[in-house]
Amino acid sequence: MGRGGHSKSGRRGPARSRRLPGLTGTVRVYDSRAEVETAEGVYRLGLRSLREAMPGDRVYVSLHRGKGGARRAVVEHVIERATAAIVGVFEPAGPLGAVRPLDARIKQDFFVLPTDDSPRRLGVGVGDIVSARIVGYPSRTESGVVTLERRIGDENEPSLGIECIMARYGFADGYPQPAVEEASSLAVDVESALADPLRRDIRDRFAVTIDPVDARDFDDAISVARTVRGGWVLGVHIADVSHYVDWESAIDLEARRRSTSVYLADRVLPMLPERLCNDLCSLRPDEDRLALTVDIELDAQGRVRAYEPYPSAIRSRVRMDYDAADMLLQEGDREAEVRDPAVCGRAEAAVRAARANGVDLRAFLRNADALARARREIRRKRGSIDFDTPEIHVLLDEAGVPVDVVTRERTAATSLIEEAMLLANECAAEFLADRDLVCAYRVHEDPSPDSLAAAAKTLTELGAVEGGLAAGIMLGDPRAINAAVGDAAGTAFAPQVNALLLRAQQRAVYKPHNGGHYALGARAYCHFTSPIRRYPDLLAHRVLKLVLAKHGLGKREAAAREPRLTGKGPRALEAICPQLCRQASDDERAADAAANASQKVKVAQLYAGRIGERDAGTVSWASDLGAFVRLDATGAEGLIRMSALGDEWWDFDDVRLTLTGESTGTRIGLGYRVVVEVASVNVLRGHLDLKLIHVSGPVS
C-alpha cells in the first residue's frame, strides 16, 4: 500500500462471488483486518463487510466464495452486542458532542445529543478522555449515541493509559466491602482442618515453591523423589482456596463475576481479596497451609503409572525464584559463568534452607529437571505442540515509570514447573472426565482446515517448510506442526513459523464437558493449579472434593461434608456450569487483551523519550498496514506504516506476507533485517511508529 498503497489482490477490482449458506459467529477486529469465528471455522471479513458490527458482537453472516475459492463473510445483522461502553476523546461536533474511541478496532465515532447534559455535569472539556455508555448502537442509517459516565482525565496524567484500558474492558481497582469483610474473618486453622478424615497431614514432606522473583502469592508447590526403579513420585500441591470460599458466599460471587485476576503492567486486579491470595492461600515457606494435592507416580520414561488427588496440609520449606533455580541447574556450565550477585545470594539462601531440612537442593532440582525432560519427550511423541512465544515485559520504577523492556523466555526452571502443572492438570481432568462429571474443562478444538491451508501455503512460499510437511500441516497433524516448529527453532524462519501456525489455531475455551486438548495432545485437560487467580480452577477443586467425599466416606457422612454446589437442588451446578464456562472464556480473553494493551502503553511511554533514535530489528509480521518490527535493543515491537516505508508505492502480498516497492523492487518480509528510526508514539493507544532507514534482507 505505501503512500496510498494497495494489496495485490485488490488491484484488479472486486471478484465475482457466489453466495453460500449463512452462519452465526463472533466478530474479531484487528488493526487492518476483521474475522468472524463460527462453529465451522474462522472467516475473513472485509472492513466494509463489518457494517454496524463491533468487536465481540455475535452476528449472522453470509458467506461468499470469491476468486480462488476463498470464502469471505459479510455481516447481515447483529444478534447480540458485546460492547456496552467505550473510552474515547471528547470533542465538539457542531451542536453535538462526539466521542472518538481510543480502541482503534471500533471504527465508528459516537455522538452526545444536545439534550444530554452529562458533559457539563462531569466538567468534561475538549480533548478530555471519557468513559461513555452506549445508549444507541450504530446502524446502516444512523450513528451511535452515548452518554458520558466518567471523566477519566487528560493526556498529562501519567497513569491515564492504564486507566483507559481498565475503563475500556470494564475493570476497576478495589474489592467490594462485603467480600473484604468476609475474608477478614477467615483464619488458618490446620489442626481443625485435619479433623476431616479425607485430609492428609504431609507437613513432613519436603516441598518448594518456584515463582517469578517479584511474585506476591504462591499457589503451587512441588515435591519430587526418585523411585527404586528409576522413576519418580511427583507431588503437586495447590492452595486449597475452596476450603475458605464457600459456594455462593460474598467472596465466591465476586470471584465468579471476575472469573480471573488481571495482570496489568503496573498493577494486579485480583480475583480474590488480598487476605486470601497473599496470605491464607499463599504457600509461604515455613508456614502451615491447606492444599489440594495430586501425587503422581511415573516410570523411568516419564509415563504415568498412578495418581491420587486428596486434600492435604503442607509446609513449604523453601521459596525459590526462577533465576536462582536456573543458576543452580546451570552450575558447571561455562557459558553461564557470569553470575548476578543478587541471584547468587538468593540461590545460596535457598540451598541453606534446604540443607537445614536435610535435603540437597541441587539434587532435588536435578531430579525435577530430569522429570520435566522426560515429560516433554512424552508430550512430543503424542503430538503436543510447543510454540516458542517469548513474552515482552516492561520494567517499571517505584513511580510506575517504564525504565526497560525485557523478554521472558522459557528456561529449565520455568519448564520444570510448567511440566509439573501440565501433568497435574491432566490428571485432575482425567479423574473428572472418567466419571463423566460436569466441570470447567479446558477444551482446545482442532484448527479449521482453511486456517491451516493458508498457513501451510504461506510457509511453503517462504521456503520455511517442504511439501511433505506442508501436507501434514494442512491435514491438521499435530506432529507435522510440531516438527515445523522444531525444525525452525534457532533459524531465521522461527518467528514466521511460530506466528503463522499459532494464528491458525483455535482459541482454547472452557466447556462443561470434556472435549480434549488438541495442542497438548491430551485426551482430557482442565485448569486445576491456580485457584487463586482463575475461577475454573476453583470449580475443579470443588467438584474433586465432592467426588472424594462421596467415595471416601459413608453416604450419610459424605452428605454432611460435601461442598455445597447446589443452591437450588442437586442439578444446579449442571445448569449453571455452561454459563460459568462462557463467562470465564470471555473474561480470560478480555484479561489477556488488557494485559497486552497495558504493556504496549508502557512501551510507548518508554519510547516517548527516544524519538529520533535508531535501532536494528527484525520484521515480525507484515500486513496492508505496513511492517511490524521487533527491535533488537529491547524486544519491543513497533510498526513501519506504509507511508514511512519510503517514497514509492508498495504492494502487499497476502500469501507470502511481503511488501514490495514498485519503483525499486525493494522487498520486506518476515525475518528481514532492518534499521529503523523511532518516528512517533501514541501512548494512549499504545502505538510505537517507526520509519524505515535500511533493509538488509532476511537474516541467514
Side-chain angles (χ1 to χ4, degrees), residues 527-690:
H527 278 163
F528 161 80
T529 55
S530 291
I532 283 179
R533 62 184 179 91
R534 291 187 303 230
Y535 196 80
D537 302 53
L538 177 56
L539 192 57
H541 279 219
R542 286 170 167 157
V543 178
L544 274 168
K545 281 188 172 181
L546 190 68
V547 178
L548 294 172
K550 286 182 176 178
H551 290 274
L553 301 168
K555 289 184 178 180
R556 181 177 300 176
E557 189 177 7
R561 283 198 55 268
E562 66 185 30
R564 285 193 312 112
L565 300 182
T566 52
K568 292 184 179 178
R571 301 188 66 81
L573 174 60
E574 188 171 342
I576 198 175
C577 200
Q579 176 189 335
L580 295 177
C581 288
R582 283 193 300 270
Q583 182 180 334
S585 299
D586 291 344
D587 290 346
E588 176 192 60
R589 187 187 292 269
D592 287 348
N596 185 48
S598 73
Q599 294 291 335
K600 289 182 177 179
V601 162
K602 290 300 180 181
V603 166
Q605 283 183 356
L606 178 67
Y607 276 90
R610 300 184 181 184
I611 304 299
E613 286 189 9
R614 293 187 176 183
D615 191 8
T618 303
V619 176
S620 57
W621 194 256
S623 75
D624 52 7
L625 274 183
F628 292 88
V629 176
R630 192 166 299 282
L631 301 175
D632 289 351
T634 61
E637 191 174 69
L639 171 65
I640 313 173
R641 297 185 182 275
M642 290 290 193
S643 58
L645 282 170
D647 194 19
E648 62 180 313
W649 292 73
W650 292 79
D651 285 331
F652 170 56
D653 186 329
D654 60 0
V655 175
R656 294 179 177 86
L657 295 177
T658 57
L659 298 158
T660 305
E662 285 193 341
S663 301
T664 63
T666 302
R667 179 173 292 180
I668 301 173
L670 276 66
Y672 277 56
R673 294 289 294 166
V674 294
V675 176
V676 295
E677 181 179 290
V678 179
S680 64
V681 301
N682 185 320
V683 173
L684 294 184
R685 291 184 184 271
H687 289 173
L688 172 59
D689 289 328
L690 308 171

Side-chain angles (χ1 to χ4, degrees), residues 206 208 285-286 317-320 346-361:
F206 182 80
V208 303
D286 296 319
R317 302 294 174 172
V318 176
R319 142 67 170 147
M320 292 204 74
R346 296 197 302 270
E348 287 307 315
V351 168
R352 288 193 300 272
R355 189 181 299 127
N357 286 276
V359 173
D360 180 343
L361 185 59

Side-chain angles (χ1 to χ4, degrees), residues 458-493:
T458 298
L459 289 173
T460 303
E461 293 282 352
L462 290 170
V465 300
E466 297 179 350
L469 201 54
I473 291 171
M474 284 191 232
L475 291 172
D477 182 353
R479 291 174 180 81
I481 296 173
N482 211 29
V485 172
D487 291 348
T491 73
F493 290 120

Side-chain angles (χ1 to χ4, degrees), residues 436-449:
D436 197 26
L437 295 169
V438 171
C439 194
Y441 294 91
R442 185 69 167 175
V443 176
H444 187 221
E445 297 177 342
D446 293 0
S448 74

